[in-house]
Amino acid sequence: SQQGEEDPQALSIQEGENATMNCSYKTSINNLQWYRQNSGRGLVHLILIRSNEREKHSGRLRVTLDTSKKSSSLLITASRAADTASYFCATDGDRGSTLGRLYFGRGTQLTVWP
Amino acid sequence: DGGITQSPKYLFRKEGQNVTLSCEQNLNHDAMYWYRQDPGQGLRLIYYSQIVNDFQKGDIAEGYSVSREKKESFPLTVTSAQKNPTAFYLCASSIRYDRVGNQPQHFGDGTRLSIL
């Protein structure tokens, strides 16, 4: 399976703290994406990092990618209660048979306490 | 506003009944996808379509069927052959993949299907 796997499965922190989630995957990729899902809603795309990039920022989000270790991390700085959600990583495949689809992990449930 | 709309939000199925979940997008995206999400689980791909009149099976296509007659629409039918259909179903769309890989997907807010 090419599915990404997030770690930890659940993370509970106080407002103002930083939250770090990790993602590992199994095969080579063209890019890796992070999504957020609020309870009972659809997923929202957060950030895409290409295989030739090592780090990317978007507001309070910082994503790193280490293709040699087949891993990525998502850092949310100065977290807020509104950041409470599930976070998923998704990878594509670099082979013809898998083009056009993403492989999602099981997600990290982040809870930020006021 | 551009977006992707799933309906209904809640759906109940009787034993032996087929039900169809609607997914419409006005983002002018070529690609559309159907996922199933079970509690505490990630997303599992049911079917996807990169272009009108063409679609591919995902990882769990058994018991499901789709059609892609229009660019904007990608309905999913949950047939009576799907023995455990209770789940949260998500539809997504995206620009078609290019040489740098797959593009971000835009999701609807899902349909929750339950068995009566």
Side-chain angles (χ1 to χ4, degrees), chain A residues 6-8 11 19-23 34 72-76 87 108-110:
Chain A
E6 291 89 349
D7 172 63
L11 181 59
T20 299
M21 288 158 270
N22 302 298
C23 171
W34 283 92
S72 174
S73 67
L74 170 67
L75 168 68
I76 304 174
Y87 292 82
T108 292
Q109 172 60 53
L110 173 66

Side-chain angles (χ1 to χ4, degrees), chain A:
Chain A
S1 169
Q2 293 178 274
Q3 188 179 42
E5 291 294 336
E6 291 89 349
D7 172 63
Q9 288 188 350
L11 181 59
S12 186
I13 60 175
Q14 296 288 129
E15 265 191 332
E17 294 181 341
N18 295 343
T20 299
M21 288 158 270
N22 302 298
C23 171
S24 59
Y25 57 93
K26 296 180 180 178
T27 68
S28 56
I29 59 172
N30 291 304
N31 65 56
L32 184 144
Q33 303 177 30
W34 283 92
Y35 289 80
R36 165 195 169 124
Q37 183 182 33
N38 284 20
S39 181
R41 304 294 297 273
L43 278 70
V44 174
H45 178 259
L46 295 176
I47 199 163
L48 180 153
I49 185 165
R50 303 196 187 285
S51 59
N52 62 354
E53 297 176 311
R54 292 297 167 258
E55 189 170 309
K56 204 162 183 180
H57 297 253
S58 177
R60 293 185 296 113
L61 305 181
R62 189 189 102 182
V63 169
T64 61
L65 179 65
D66 186 335
T67 54
S68 67
K69 295 181 179 178
K70 292 187 170 57
S71 68
S72 174
S73 67
L74 170 67
L75 168 68
I76 304 174
T77 60
S79 60
R80 307 165 182 167
D83 293 328
T84 295
S86 292
Y87 292 82
F88 295 88
C89 69
T91 56
D92 67 355
D94 68 347
R95 303 190 188 284
S97 64
T98 63
L99 284 174
R101 62 163 295 173
L102 293 176
Y103 297 85
F104 285 86
R106 296 184 180 218
T108 292
Q109 172 60 53
L110 173 66
T111 302
V112 182
W113 299 99

